[in-house]
Amino acid sequence: MNIFLDDRKCHEQLKPFSLTRHVSEIRVGILTIKEKWVHLTGATIIISENDIPRDCLVISANIIPTSQNIKTLLNAAAGKISVMESDEIKIIKHPWEIFQLNDWALRHDFKLLVSKPSVPKSSSNTFLNQNNIFIAETAVVNHSILNADAGPIYIDKHAEIMEGSLIRGPFFLGENSVVKMGSKIYGATSIGPGCVAGGEIKNSVIFGYSNKAHDGYLGDSVIGEWCNLGAGSSNSNVKNTGGEIHYIVNNNGDTIKAGKKTGLLMGDYSRSAINTSFTTGTTIGVCCNVFGSNAPRKYVDNFSWGEDRYIFEKALLDITNWKTMKQQKLSQNEIDVLQQIYLLNQ
């Protein structure tokens, strides 16, 4: 079976994250949308419109599949029924819905991936509701408290939770990621592969290879790949008035209501200086270096360097430096994508 995940109609509305990836490669819960389709169907998943075979089922890439709704979605892809959003079927229409749907997605992914709980014996830890916890054999967890009463906890291969950390589910820690000493993490939080996390985090998604390594608060937020939040950086997720929060969605200043608890959206390859304070509903584009004596604007466009424009060659050099720290290299495909984004913003 071949399934084409079509993001042509939903790509625009999921920026900045869709600028650097296909919509199906967005992480929500434990897995990306594409990975969920692979696990649930075993099908060949196609994301390029240039590779669509004739016998291909087609479905929108922003629909989240689960074991509960997969039959309905396959029937919809075959043209037998139409897909309607419901308690069983969730569709990511805006980027902030990634963290808003993360609790729901984490629970479904845990059921999909875990047939039985696995908690290594360690007298140094405190585990609450072990039946709701999975820790890979190669993961390291010592002198910490993992509370899965409110939701499942999944710790992937070669991940580490350092001593003194407090974790409440639902929670996912990806392969080769590290939670630093004394961290406080509330559900529903997903930290993808190759990340370093610390301080206080709540109801947030970090896609992968990013650092929020120090004290400071990250709440109701989405952080892309290859990002870095400087020490002491924090975001607001609630207005002092308790009112509705709007995200600015483009350079024209157009806004959309997003709820009363919404934080930071940060595109890939972006970074903030130490002690940066992000206001409620802030969007940072792709490849931005955020610094300055004032709080960042609520909408920071791609390739911003403070209040100026990031020089493209300098941006590539800086990304290469960050990738080297994690034993990775900047690919030609990444360079091509970044150049397209850079040219769009001229």
Side-chain angles (χ1 to χ4, degrees):
M1 179 169 58
N2 298 310
I3 299 174
F4 172 52
L5 300 179
D6 188 357
D7 78 341
R8 289 171 292 186
K9 292 182 179 179
C10 59
H11 177 270
E12 186 71 20
Q13 65 205 42
L14 290 171
K15 292 179 179 179
F17 306 111
S18 58
L19 283 169
T20 46
R21 62 179 51 76
H22 191 273
V23 166
S24 69
E25 293 174 329
I26 286 173
R27 186 179 306 279
V28 55
I30 296 174
L31 303 168
T32 66
I33 295 172
K34 180 181 177 182
E35 289 170 341
K36 298 178 204 292
W37 278 101
V38 171
H39 276 273
L40 287 162
T41 67
T44 299
I45 305 301
I46 299 161
I47 61 175
S48 171
E49 59 186 288
N50 298 322
D51 301 326
I52 308 173
R54 290 183 179 180
D55 60 343
C56 196
L57 300 177
V58 180
I59 195 161
S60 182
N62 61 337
I63 300 174
I64 305 174
T66 69
S67 55
Q68 191 174 2
N69 68 27
I70 189 64
K71 289 183 179 179
T72 301
L73 297 185
L74 288 174
N75 284 332
K80 297 177 181 179
I81 60 173
S82 59
V83 175
M84 299 291 290
E85 193 164 17
S86 65
D87 290 339
E88 291 185 8
I89 297 174
K90 304 297 182 183
I91 303 172
I92 303 176
K93 301 178 293 296
H94 303 290
W96 50 89
E97 292 176 351
I98 297 169
F99 69 76
Q100 290 174 344
L101 293 174
N102 200 49
D103 186 299
W104 177 87
L106 268 166
R107 295 174 193 274
H108 279 285
D109 283 353
F110 189 85
K111 290 179 182 178
L112 174 65
L113 297 174
V114 178
S115 57
K116 61 179 181 178
S118 175
V119 178
K121 294 179 180 178
S122 174
S123 59
S124 71
N125 294 308
T126 298
F127 298 114
L128 282 73
N129 193 358
Q130 291 193 19
N131 290 331
N132 224 13
I133 298 174
F134 176 86
I135 301 176
E137 287 186 9
T138 55
V140 177
V141 183
N142 286 309
H143 298 282
S144 295
I145 298 175
L146 275 65
N147 182 353
D149 280 343
I153 294 174
Y154 189 105
I155 312 301
D156 213 339
K157 300 183 292 293
H158 307 294
E160 180 179 5
I161 298 178
M162 292 184 177
E163 54 270 27
S165 295
L166 308 174
I167 310 290
R168 290 178 65 93
F171 175 70
F172 163 63
L173 183 65
E175 186 173 355
N176 293 314
S177 285
V178 175
V179 171
K180 295 183 73 176
M181 290 190 298
S183 299
K184 298 180 290 184
I185 302 181
Y186 302 83
T189 292
S190 295
I191 299 171
C195 294
V196 181
E200 184 177 2
I201 303 174
K202 173 251 180 186
N203 191 34
S204 295
V205 179
I206 303 176
F207 285 178
Y209 308 102
S210 291
N211 300 330
K212 192 272 177 204
H214 304 287
D215 286 343
Y217 177 70
L218 180 72
D220 300 289
S221 296
V222 183
I223 306 297
E225 292 187 347
W226 299 106
C227 296
N228 187 73
L229 298 177
S233 294
S234 293
N235 75 274
S236 169
N237 62 339
V238 180
K239 283 187 174 182
N240 283 345
T241 61
E244 190 84 19
I245 299 166
H246 293 69
Y247 280 102
I248 300 173
V249 294
N250 54 41
N251 277 326
N252 297 326
D254 297 330
T255 65
I256 299 178
K257 290 181 181 179
K260 293 190 175 183
K261 275 197 173 184
T262 61
L264 171 65
L265 306 175
M266 177 177 278
D268 291 1
Y269 312 106
S270 288
R271 301 173 292 278
S272 70
I274 62 170
N275 297 320
T276 301
S277 296
F278 297 98
T279 57
T280 50
T282 292
T283 299
I284 307 295
V286 171
C287 203
C288 297
N289 192 1
V290 181
F291 62 90
S293 56
N294 298 320
R297 303 183 304 276
K298 280 179 65 73
Y299 183 87
V300 178
D301 207 359
N302 306 312
F303 285 94
S304 291
W305 175 276
E307 295 297 323
D308 297 318
R309 184 161 168 79
Y310 220 146
I311 297 171
F312 185 70
E313 292 73 19
K314 169 64 173 168
L316 295 185
L317 177 61
D318 293 345
I319 292 170
T320 298
N321 291 337
W322 280 100
K323 286 211 161 202
T324 300
M325 293 184 201
K326 295 182 186 283
Q327 294 76 52
Q328 301 275 343
K329 293 183 178 180
L330 183 63
S331 69
Q332 186 59 51
N333 181 65
E334 288 177 289
I335 294 171
D336 293 343
V337 169
L338 287 169
Q339 189 165 40
Q340 289 175 12
I341 298 168
Y342 189 83
L343 293 173
L344 284 173
N345 281 74
Q346 284 189 328

